Amino acid sequence: MSSTPATVRRISPILPTARQALIVTVFTLLLSWLLHLFSGTAYPAVFGRIGFLGAALLLAYSAAGALRPRWLSLSAARVTAVVLTAPLAALFLLLATRPGQYATPMAKTADIIGHVIMVVLAIIFGLLFSLLAMRSERRERERADRLQIELTQNTLERQLLDARLRLLQAQIEPHFLFNTLANVEALVASGSPDAGPVLRQLIAYLRAAMPRLTDEAATLGQELQLVRAYLELMQMRMPDRLQFDVASIPQAATLRFPPMALLTLVENAVRHGIDPGVDGGRIDVGAALDAASGTACVWVSDTGVGMAETAQPGTGLQNVRSRLRAVYGVGARLELHEVAPHGVRAELHFNFTGDIV
């Protein structure tokens, strides 16, 4: 039986880091030089003593973080280790430099003073560097915690965005399918000899289109292909009343784009612009992408009956606007413009920097 602890204990490495070793080495060189100038002792001898003390304190500081008992805090363990190691290391150094004199290593007053000075220096600078090192480590931990929080927040925001997109896609799928079934009904009711080929083409189109309804990695290039296939079907249904052109845009092949958004605009152009008019009309689909500024404008323009003065944006257009903002942010927008002498131009404006699939 296992249990999950409420908090995760950070385990420090036993050996010091390269950065810590470098800082201690540089300081040892400088301190040894100062003591050499004041005492007149040879520099190698001073550096050897100070270097030994620095290495001993550094190892004690590092090991205390990994070997401390659970009831003792990390800071307390490191400070305690440094304070206890300083006199012990100084005593060991004194004994090591006085071979054969272990019984009376501090018989002379000068030896006692030198030992005390060495212990005091070791404790002072050991504590100083311990405090500086712990402060630096605390900042690093805080920075790592902030990055982790930001990563978690970004992940949650991404999951929320995906959930919103799936909800909007779920709303648009019935709308798309019902429109398609209405077109099938119109073909059958007209008794046209082309009804059979059109129906077979429509089935093939649906098989290709359905997987893209929930494709999170859809691109503008794929959307343009889908729009072209849809307009070809509509042209077979009303060959004398519909002309169209879908621009070929190489940059669109890798540009992230909300699936079915452009198709919804084209469906609206057919249903509300071309179908109601006796003479039909023309639909043009295109895009202008500026890689330098990262801005894009994708449009669907028709020469149908145009907008009625009392017309209000329907569910489809509201859905497109919401999905566009969900993918490209609040700056993305859908604009509707009248086309002279009659018709409508729907434009999608957004910034696509960093949205390449």
Tab-separated table of all heavy atoms in Angstrom, residues 123-147:
chain	number	residue	atom	x	y	z
A	123	ILE	N	34.464	30.461	8.963
A	123	ILE	CA	33.055	30.578	9.340
A	123	ILE	C	32.405	31.781	8.663
A	123	ILE	O	31.295	31.691	8.119
A	123	ILE	CB	32.933	30.687	10.875
A	123	ILE	CG1	33.347	29.369	11.541
A	123	ILE	CG2	31.502	31.048	11.267
A	123	ILE	CD1	33.322	29.422	13.050
A	124	ILE	N	33.105	32.933	8.704
A	124	ILE	CA	32.514	34.153	8.135
A	124	ILE	C	32.238	33.997	6.637
A	124	ILE	O	31.115	34.215	6.169
A	124	ILE	CB	33.435	35.363	8.394
A	124	ILE	CG1	33.457	35.704	9.886
A	124	ILE	CG2	32.961	36.575	7.576
A	124	ILE	CD1	34.417	36.818	10.247
A	125	PHE	N	33.279	33.612	5.912
A	125	PHE	CA	33.099	33.531	4.462
A	125	PHE	C	32.281	32.301	4.067
A	125	PHE	O	31.588	32.316	3.046
A	125	PHE	CB	34.462	33.531	3.772
A	125	PHE	CG	35.162	34.854	3.838
A	125	PHE	CD1	36.218	35.074	4.716
A	125	PHE	CD2	34.724	35.905	3.056
A	125	PHE	CE1	36.847	36.297	4.790
A	125	PHE	CE2	35.344	37.141	3.116
A	125	PHE	CZ	36.415	37.342	3.992
A	126	GLY	N	32.335	31.257	4.888
A	126	GLY	CA	31.476	30.109	4.621
A	126	GLY	C	30.012	30.463	4.747
A	126	GLY	O	29.181	30.121	3.898
A	127	LEU	N	29.671	31.191	5.835
A	127	LEU	CA	28.286	31.622	6.008
A	127	LEU	C	27.875	32.615	4.924
A	127	LEU	O	26.741	32.575	4.421
A	127	LEU	CB	28.118	32.256	7.393
A	127	LEU	CG	28.199	31.290	8.590
A	127	LEU	CD1	28.094	32.070	9.897
A	127	LEU	CD2	27.103	30.250	8.507
A	128	LEU	N	28.786	33.528	4.574
A	128	LEU	CA	28.473	34.524	3.547
A	128	LEU	C	28.131	33.858	2.223
A	128	LEU	O	27.101	34.157	1.599
A	128	LEU	CB	29.659	35.487	3.380
A	128	LEU	CG	29.514	36.540	2.268
A	128	LEU	CD1	28.321	37.448	2.533
A	128	LEU	CD2	30.784	37.345	2.122
A	129	PHE	N	28.987	32.934	1.819
A	129	PHE	CA	28.728	32.271	0.547
A	129	PHE	C	27.531	31.329	0.638
A	129	PHE	O	26.825	31.121	-0.355
A	129	PHE	CB	29.974	31.514	0.093
A	129	PHE	CG	30.931	32.371	-0.672
A	129	PHE	CD1	31.934	33.075	-0.028
A	129	PHE	CD2	30.805	32.518	-2.044
A	129	PHE	CE1	32.807	33.881	-0.728
A	129	PHE	CE2	31.677	33.323	-2.759
A	129	PHE	CZ	32.684	34.008	-2.103
A	130	SER	N	27.284	30.756	1.796
A	130	SER	CA	26.101	29.913	1.959
A	130	SER	C	24.837	30.731	1.771
A	130	SER	O	23.907	30.308	1.068
A	130	SER	CB	26.103	29.257	3.343
A	130	SER	OG	27.208	28.392	3.500
A	131	LEU	N	24.800	31.912	2.384
A	131	LEU	CA	23.616	32.766	2.241
A	131	LEU	C	23.425	33.219	0.798
A	131	LEU	O	22.304	33.242	0.275
A	131	LEU	CB	23.746	33.980	3.163
A	131	LEU	CG	23.744	33.666	4.675
A	131	LEU	CD1	23.987	34.938	5.476
A	131	LEU	CD2	22.433	33.028	5.083
A	132	LEU	N	24.528	33.592	0.141
A	132	LEU	CA	24.426	34.019	-1.257
A	132	LEU	C	23.977	32.870	-2.151
A	132	LEU	O	23.151	33.051	-3.060
A	132	LEU	CB	25.771	34.571	-1.736
A	132	LEU	CG	26.224	35.887	-1.096
A	132	LEU	CD1	27.619	36.263	-1.602
A	132	LEU	CD2	25.235	37.005	-1.402
A	133	ALA	N	24.535	31.677	-1.906
A	133	ALA	CA	24.178	30.521	-2.721
A	133	ALA	C	22.716	30.132	-2.509
A	133	ALA	O	21.999	29.818	-3.467
A	133	ALA	CB	25.097	29.346	-2.391
A	134	MET	N	22.267	30.152	-1.248
A	134	MET	CA	20.863	29.801	-0.980
A	134	MET	C	19.914	30.826	-1.578
A	134	MET	O	18.831	30.479	-2.062
A	134	MET	CB	20.643	29.680	0.534
A	134	MET	CG	21.260	28.420	1.134
A	134	MET	SD	20.855	28.154	2.871
A	134	MET	CE	21.767	29.504	3.647
A	135	ARG	N	20.324	32.087	-1.558
A	135	ARG	CA	19.492	33.108	-2.191
A	135	ARG	C	19.395	32.887	-3.695
A	135	ARG	O	18.313	32.999	-4.284
A	135	ARG	CB	20.075	34.490	-1.899
A	135	ARG	CG	19.271	35.635	-2.490
A	135	ARG	CD	19.953	36.956	-2.229
A	135	ARG	NE	19.203	38.064	-2.812
A	135	ARG	CZ	19.627	39.326	-2.823
A	135	ARG	NH1	20.793	39.634	-2.270
A	135	ARG	NH2	18.895	40.271	-3.385
A	136	SER	N	20.527	32.552	-4.317
A	136	SER	CA	20.525	32.285	-5.757
A	136	SER	C	19.676	31.063	-6.090
A	136	SER	O	18.908	31.073	-7.058
A	136	SER	CB	21.964	32.078	-6.237
A	136	SER	OG	21.994	31.745	-7.611
A	137	GLU	N	19.809	30.014	-5.253
A	137	GLU	CA	19.009	28.814	-5.501
A	137	GLU	C	17.522	29.099	-5.318
A	137	GLU	O	16.688	28.568	-6.071
A	137	GLU	CB	19.456	27.709	-4.557
A	137	GLU	CG	20.844	27.164	-4.863
A	137	GLU	CD	21.278	26.128	-3.853
A	137	GLU	OE1	20.501	25.869	-2.909
A	137	GLU	OE2	22.385	25.589	-3.992
A	138	ARG	N	17.183	29.919	-4.317
A	138	ARG	CA	15.779	30.259	-4.099
A	138	ARG	C	15.212	31.005	-5.306
A	138	ARG	O	14.082	30.755	-5.737
A	138	ARG	CB	15.637	31.105	-2.827
A	138	ARG	CG	14.175	31.418	-2.486
A	138	ARG	CD	14.046	32.100	-1.137
A	138	ARG	NE	14.714	33.397	-1.115
A	138	ARG	CZ	15.835	33.656	-0.486
A	138	ARG	NH1	16.473	32.688	0.167
A	138	ARG	NH2	16.379	34.870	-0.512
A	139	ARG	N	16.011	31.900	-5.861
A	139	ARG	CA	15.547	32.622	-7.063
A	139	ARG	C	15.366	31.674	-8.240
A	139	ARG	O	14.409	31.809	-9.016
A	139	ARG	CB	16.552	33.723	-7.416
A	139	ARG	CG	16.538	34.910	-6.458
A	139	ARG	CD	17.520	35.984	-6.909
A	139	ARG	NE	17.424	37.185	-6.080
A	139	ARG	CZ	18.188	38.248	-6.244
A	139	ARG	NH1	19.121	38.266	-7.199
A	139	ARG	NH2	18.048	39.299	-5.462
A	140	GLU	N	16.285	30.730	-8.366
A	140	GLU	CA	16.157	29.769	-9.460
A	140	GLU	C	14.910	28.913	-9.283
A	140	GLU	O	14.203	28.617	-10.252
A	140	GLU	CB	17.402	28.879	-9.524
A	140	GLU	CG	18.648	29.584	-10.032
A	140	GLU	CD	18.497	30.035	-11.476
A	140	GLU	OE1	17.830	29.325	-12.246
A	140	GLU	OE2	19.034	31.100	-11.827
A	141	ARG	N	14.640	28.501	-8.024
A	141	ARG	CA	13.434	27.705	-7.776
A	141	ARG	C	12.181	28.515	-8.062
A	141	ARG	O	11.221	28.004	-8.647
A	141	ARG	CB	13.423	27.209	-6.328
A	141	ARG	CG	14.415	26.094	-6.040
A	141	ARG	CD	14.083	25.409	-4.719
A	141	ARG	NE	14.126	26.337	-3.598
A	141	ARG	CZ	15.193	26.569	-2.861
A	141	ARG	NH1	16.343	25.950	-3.154
A	141	ARG	NH2	15.150	27.408	-1.837
A	142	GLU	N	12.190	29.791	-7.630
A	142	GLU	CA	11.030	30.640	-7.901
A	142	GLU	C	10.827	30.831	-9.398
A	142	GLU	O	9.688	30.816	-9.880
A	142	GLU	CB	11.216	31.998	-7.213
A	142	GLU	CG	11.160	31.927	-5.697
A	142	GLU	CD	11.491	33.256	-5.045
A	142	GLU	OE1	11.915	34.179	-5.798
A	142	GLU	OE2	11.337	33.392	-3.818
A	143	ARG	N	11.936	30.994	-10.121
A	143	ARG	CA	11.825	31.145	-11.577
A	143	ARG	C	11.293	29.864	-12.217
A	143	ARG	O	10.431	29.906	-13.108
A	143	ARG	CB	13.199	31.485	-12.164
A	143	ARG	CG	13.219	31.639	-13.679
A	143	ARG	CD	14.588	32.092	-14.163
A	143	ARG	NE	14.634	32.178	-15.605
A	143	ARG	CZ	14.942	31.161	-16.396
A	143	ARG	NH1	15.232	29.976	-15.867
A	143	ARG	NH2	14.966	31.313	-17.710
A	144	ALA	N	11.794	28.707	-11.752
A	144	ALA	CA	11.308	27.430	-12.280
A	144	ALA	C	9.834	27.226	-11.944
A	144	ALA	O	9.054	26.733	-12.778
A	144	ALA	CB	12.140	26.278	-11.723
A	145	ASP	N	9.440	27.638	-10.721
A	145	ASP	CA	8.032	27.514	-10.338
A	145	ASP	C	7.152	28.419	-11.202
A	145	ASP	O	6.050	28.018	-11.612
A	145	ASP	CB	7.851	27.865	-8.862
A	145	ASP	CG	8.478	26.820	-7.941
A	145	ASP	OD1	8.707	25.682	-8.409
A	145	ASP	OD2	8.755	27.145	-6.769
A	146	ARG	N	7.634	29.636	-11.470
A	146	ARG	CA	6.862	30.537	-12.331
A	146	ARG	C	6.701	29.968	-13.733
A	146	ARG	O	5.615	30.038	-14.324
A	146	ARG	CB	7.525	31.920	-12.392
A	146	ARG	CG	7.362	32.750	-11.129
A	146	ARG	CD	7.678	34.213	-11.400
A	146	ARG	NE	9.039	34.384	-11.889
A	146	ARG	CZ	10.094	34.585	-11.121
A	146	ARG	NH1	9.938	34.634	-9.802
A	146	ARG	NH2	11.302	34.747	-11.629
A	147	LEU	N	7.807	29.416	-14.257
A	147	LEU	CA	7.725	28.821	-15.589
A	147	LEU	C	6.762	27.639	-15.603
A	147	LEU	O	6.009	27.449	-16.569
A	147	LEU	CB	9.120	28.372	-16.045
A	147	LEU	CG	10.128	29.490	-16.328
A	147	LEU	CD1	11.485	28.902	-16.689
A	147	LEU	CD2	9.632	30.391	-17.459
